[in-house]
Amino acid sequence: MYDWVLAFGQEVELIWRQRWSLMTVLYLTARYLGIIFAGMNIQMAVQIIPLKDAVSLIMYFALYWMMWVTIGILGVIMIARLHAMYQRSRKVLVLLTVVFMAIGVANIVMLTINMRYISAEQVVLSGTYQCVVSNAQPLRIIPWILAAVWEAFTLCLAVCIALKHFRELRQQSARSIIGDCFTVLMTTHTSYSMSFLVVFCFCLGSFWPTMSKGPYSPEILLYYGFLQTFFIVQSAVLGPRLILGVREYHAKLVIDSDAGPGMTSIAFQERVHVSTGISV
């Protein structure tokens, strides 16, 4: 919420007032789905409004699928970025789509199976009755492993094309706009990937056998609180900035008097124009 307040003016200028496209919809979905996810998590954790077991279970299922839908949306955003970075290569697009779909289908199957092992129960925490949802499925870690494979795959592709362009730019004495563009792309990509790594490590820790021995202890609840917080930062803050960062860079180019009207403009997937000398 704090980040939303700080970045709202920039969001209005670069997202709401711009021409709507697929990336606009993906940005807004990831951004505001994350805010809703955070609010529902607070309700589940603090029980501001007392809920029955059935209602808590429904809310948990909603959070469960919202989390993975958000991860899928961020995957589509990553495909668009890499497609642009590889100069709209059809081979790269097909490769990314096939890998993404294969991982997505496998995750949907595993997540559907996992839902059968989710249950809710009433417990007393700090003198109050609360509904706590548990998941005893030992294979629930597989979707996170597959998500980590996807993130590592896309990061490797981004690093490879960025290194290729940076090597080419070393031979040029003049400052290149495309070099600055790739710097922006890699900065946002790296921060997003590092945030996913933190979330993934916390998820691996949550599957440790000792975590199930005292699931309602203050330490364990605090651990899960950090896990949810880092996921919200990754999905609702750094994820949407994969788009917002590019649009902000383009806005600076428009203002910059050195980027005159005679330069070639190319679209970054959703009509975010980056002035370069190549066709993406």
Side-chain angles (χ1 to χ4, degrees):
M1 186 62 70
Y2 178 72
D3 177 81
W4 178 78
V5 172
L6 290 180
F8 184 71
Q10 186 183 42
E11 179 182 304
V12 170
E13 186 66 29
L14 301 177
I15 301 296
W16 292 96
R17 292 183 178 177
Q18 301 300 318
R19 193 173 185 179
W20 279 58
S21 63
L22 174 61
M23 290 297 111
T24 304
V25 175
L26 292 177
Y27 172 91
L28 295 175
T29 304
R31 182 72 162 172
Y32 289 94
L33 202 61
I35 294 176
I36 297 173
F37 182 87
M40 293 177 65
N41 258 301
I42 294 174
Q43 165 60 31
M44 290 287 290
V46 183
Q47 295 285 315
I48 301 173
I49 303 174
L51 300 175
K52 296 182 179 180
D53 291 0
V55 178
S56 294
L57 198 57
I58 292 173
M59 285 190 64
Y60 182 85
F61 284 148
L63 288 170
Y64 181 78
W65 284 106
M66 282 170 62
M67 177 177 66
W68 288 103
V69 167
T70 303
I71 292 175
I73 290 172
L74 296 175
V76 175
I77 294 174
M78 199 62 69
I79 290 176
R81 284 167 60 94
L82 288 171
H83 185 214
M85 292 172 72
Y86 277 86
Q87 304 183 37
R88 297 190 181 276
S89 169
R90 182 173 297 181
K91 292 182 179 179
V92 172
L93 179 60
V94 171
L95 175 63
L96 288 168
T97 303
V98 170
V99 174
F100 179 76
M101 291 299 296
I103 292 177
V105 170
N107 269 349
I108 290 174
V109 172
M110 293 304 304
L111 292 170
T112 304
I113 295 174
N114 189 37
M115 288 181 64
R116 299 171 55 188
Y117 296 86
I118 298 174
S119 60
E121 61 177 325
Q122 287 280 353
V123 299
V124 179
L125 297 176
S126 302
T128 60
Y129 285 93
Q130 293 191 18
C131 181
V132 177
V133 180
S134 60
N135 187 346
Q137 169 60 269
L139 299 179
R140 66 188 187 278
I141 191 176
I142 294 181
W144 283 105
I145 293 176
L146 293 176
V149 170
W150 167 256
E151 293 297 336
F153 175 65
T154 55
L155 180 61
C156 289
L157 288 178
V159 170
C160 288
I161 190 63
L163 290 177
K164 175 184 176 182
H165 280 284
F166 289 144
R167 282 196 299 265
E168 294 174 353
L169 292 174
R170 281 184 179 180
Q171 303 174 0
Q172 303 177 8
S173 57
R175 181 181 176 182
S176 173
I177 293 177
I178 189 173
D180 293 340
C181 178
F182 268 87
T183 300
V184 172
L185 290 171
M186 289 309 302
T187 300
T188 55
H189 198 135
T190 301
S191 60
Y192 170 79
S193 297
M194 292 302 297
S195 67
F196 177 84
L197 178 62
V198 172
V199 172
F200 180 66
C201 289
F202 266 86
C203 286
L204 290 181
S206 68
F207 297 125
W208 201 256
T210 55
M211 297 290 287
S212 59
K213 294 181 180 180
Y216 309 131
S217 66
E219 295 79 8
I220 300 300
L221 293 177
L222 182 63
Y223 183 92
Y224 281 107
F226 276 113
L227 170 59
Q228 296 296 339
T229 301
F230 284 127
F231 174 76
I232 292 169
V233 171
Q234 177 231 340
S235 60
V237 177
L238 298 177
R241 285 192 178 277
L242 294 172
I243 295 175
L244 194 63
V246 176
R247 294 197 174 188
E248 182 182 10
Y249 174 74
H250 169 251
K252 291 180 179 179
L253 282 183
V254 173
I255 297 174
D256 192 349
S257 59
D258 293 334
M263 300 192 70
T264 305
S265 289
I266 51 107
F268 176 65
Q269 186 66 24
E270 77 294 8
R271 296 186 179 89
V272 175
H273 299 284
V274 181
S275 298
T276 66
I278 63 171
S279 176
V280 173

